[in-house]
Structures are given as structure tokens and as C-alpha cells.
Amino acid sequence: MPTTYSLYTFLAPCLQPLYQFVADYLGQQLHIRLDLVVGQTYDDIALADFCFVCGLPYILRTPPYHRPLLQVLAAPVLPGSRYQDKPIYFSDVIVHRDHPAASFADLRGGSWAFNEPESQSGYGITRYHLVTRGETNGFFGQVIQAGFHQEAIRRVAAREVDATAIDSHVLAIELRDHPELAHHIKIIDTLGPSTIQPFTAAPHIPMTLQADVQRVLAEMHLDPEAKSRLEQYLVERFARVEDADYNDIRRMLTACEQAQFLTLR
């Protein structure tokens, strides 16, 4: 029987088929079993052998915030010139198609939805953007937690909330799979880029296995069948990453801490 490991995901539900494919592919290539588990809270990181996790909670579980709980191995590179062949993504600011706002600045006093407070794409970078603009004293009239990017998109489309920032990868998947949404929303601004969410290993995973996993992820796009599957999920390839690649998110968090602006409310 192959050794079984857990692969937790703390990311958008619409990308779970990608993570299941990665789990199956790694299992086949390395003769191990990876069971995909949907994390319920970030406390579950302590239970994970491997995981897909947002960059901000990764940072918050490294020194000086926490003893190291995760080792970054690889991260997706998305297709298109926008992404510069780098493991980055953006946060696209959306409103209803009939909303008068033409840029982020036009959202003053309006309502804002976010997915959850440890999300870089939906919360951390919004907080940082407000700091860079000197807007740390109640820019939004109302701030609402939606739970997931998909829910935030639909609240904007239904005019239940004025605006939100959506992970550009998630938004592309949602608009492809639910084209009716495109008739109800528009992008008015873009925040970022940020280094994209990593695939990580727990410290107890042997270094030899970590290296093997990293190698397989970095080379899987060379397998024509795997490349085709990655393209279905709007991923060009996986790139090797290291802790220093997430210093951009560290700098954003530090700026917010120095401004004593850690909550959008």
C-alpha cells in the first residue's frame, strides 16, 4: 500500500478540481496517495502534510508571527502576457455593470464585500491599497464578509453590494463557467500583483519527498496530457518558489501594521 498523505486546500471552491488533479498526478508519479481535504479553518494547517494556501496566511505562519508551519515548494503560473510568465496574480475590482464607479476612488462611502480576513486577494491587498492612498479612516460605508470569492461576485451581480476585489484566476474561471455573470459585472480597477498562492509542505515531510514533489510539479507541464489538464484550469505551469518570493506580501502587511490599519471596518 502506498503511503498516504493529506493535501489540504484553503482556496476557492471553483479551483478544487485543479487541486484534485494535482493530488492524483503527484500520487501517480511518486507512488504515494494524496487525499484532498477542504480545510475548515486555518487551524487545520497544523493537520496538513501538504496544502494549497493563500500567501497572507502563509506569511502569518512564518517568523516573526509564528513558528514555521509551511515550506513553499511551487506555485501556478497563469497564461497570458498579463502574468509575465511569473507566479503572480491580481485582484480585479468589480462592480455591477450599471454602477457609476469608474475606479476604486469612486467607491468612497459605498459597500464592499470581501471573502475572508486572511485573504491576500480579497482583504490584505485592499487594506494595503487604502494605506498607500492614506485612506485609513472609514473609506467604505459598509464592509461585508461574503465567505468566498464566488459569493462576493454574485452579491455584486445582484446589486446587494457595491464592489469587491476578486482573485483574477478565480474571476476568469467563474466568468468562463458562468458566462451569464459577465452581463452583470465590470472590472473598474486592478490591485497588485501579488505572488500567487503556493503549494506547501509541512516541516515533518522528509526533504527528499519535498524535493520530489517540487520537481514533479515544476515538470508536469512537459507531460502533454498533464499540460492539457492544467490548461482546462487556466494554468500554464507550476514554478518553483521559495520563501523570499512572498516578501511582496510581507511588505504590504508591514505597511498596514505601521499604519495601524489591520481591519477594513
Side-chain angles (χ1 to χ4, degrees):
M1 292 289 293
T3 304
T4 299
Y5 298 93
S6 61
L7 171 57
Y8 275 67
T9 172
F10 298 89
L11 302 178
C14 66
L15 288 171
Q16 285 178 24
L18 168 63
Y19 307 141
Q20 185 62 65
F21 168 65
V22 170
D24 293 342
Y25 188 83
L26 286 170
Q28 293 165 5
Q29 296 296 311
L30 297 175
H31 307 291
I32 59 177
R33 176 174 171 174
L34 281 172
D35 288 341
L36 186 66
V37 181
V38 177
Q40 300 303 306
T41 73
Y42 286 119
D43 289 341
D44 290 345
I45 287 175
L47 306 176
D49 295 315
F50 299 95
C51 69
F52 281 101
V53 67
C54 184
L56 182 56
Y58 163 70
I59 294 303
L60 291 172
R61 283 153 187 84
T62 61
Y65 303 100
H66 201 286
R67 63 181 177 85
L69 283 179
L70 301 167
Q71 173 66 46
V72 293
L73 300 180
V77 175
L78 307 180
S81 60
R82 182 186 198 189
Y83 299 104
Q84 308 167 49
D85 197 35
K86 297 177 181 179
I88 60 173
Y89 72 114
F90 296 85
S91 295
D92 288 327
V93 179
I94 64 169
V95 297
H96 189 274
R97 185 162 293 278
D98 296 331
H99 197 286
S103 70
F104 189 98
D106 297 331
L107 299 174
R108 177 186 298 277
S111 56
W112 179 265
F114 68 95
N115 50 344
E116 53 94 4
E118 285 197 37
S119 167
Q120 170 65 8
S121 58
Y123 198 88
I125 200 164
T126 306
R127 186 176 57 190
Y128 172 72
H129 184 67
L130 290 170
V131 166
T132 64
R133 296 176 57 87
E135 297 283 5
T136 58
N137 190 26
F139 179 81
F140 298 118
Q142 184 182 22
V143 178
I144 301 163
Q145 182 167 350
F148 292 105
H149 277 310
Q150 293 95 316
E151 177 63 20
I153 294 169
R154 283 157 179 78
R155 290 196 183 193
V156 168
R159 304 189 194 190
E160 296 172 2
V161 66
D162 288 314
T164 186
I166 303 296
D167 174 325
S168 57
H169 189 197
V170 172
L171 184 59
I173 291 284
E174 284 293 294
L175 293 180
R176 182 197 66 186
D177 294 347
H178 304 279
E180 70 279 3
L181 289 172
H183 299 297
H184 300 287
I185 65 170
K186 62 182 178 181
I187 297 171
I188 61 165
D189 218 328
T190 295
L191 311 180
S194 303
T195 306
I196 202 166
Q197 303 93 342
F199 181 102
T200 70
H204 65 263
I205 298 298
M207 292 302 296
T208 53
L209 180 55
Q210 290 190 36
D212 286 342
V213 168
Q214 185 180 56
R215 172 183 55 79
V216 171
L217 288 172
E219 295 177 356
M220 67 189 300
H221 66 289
L222 302 177
D223 176 339
E225 184 175 347
K227 180 177 177 60
S228 177
R229 291 292 298 279
L230 289 176
E231 289 173 350
Q232 292 178 27
Y233 309 119
L234 306 186
V235 172
E236 184 76 23
R237 61 185 177 90
F238 279 86
R240 291 179 172 88
V241 291
E242 57 187 33
D243 179 74
D245 291 313
Y246 291 85
N247 284 344
D248 60 326
I249 299 176
R250 287 191 175 93
R251 287 191 292 269
M252 295 182 205
L253 177 56
T254 298
C256 294
E257 291 173 333
Q258 292 175 342
Q260 299 182 338
F261 186 63
L262 295 175
T263 175
L264 293 177
R265 291 189 171 89

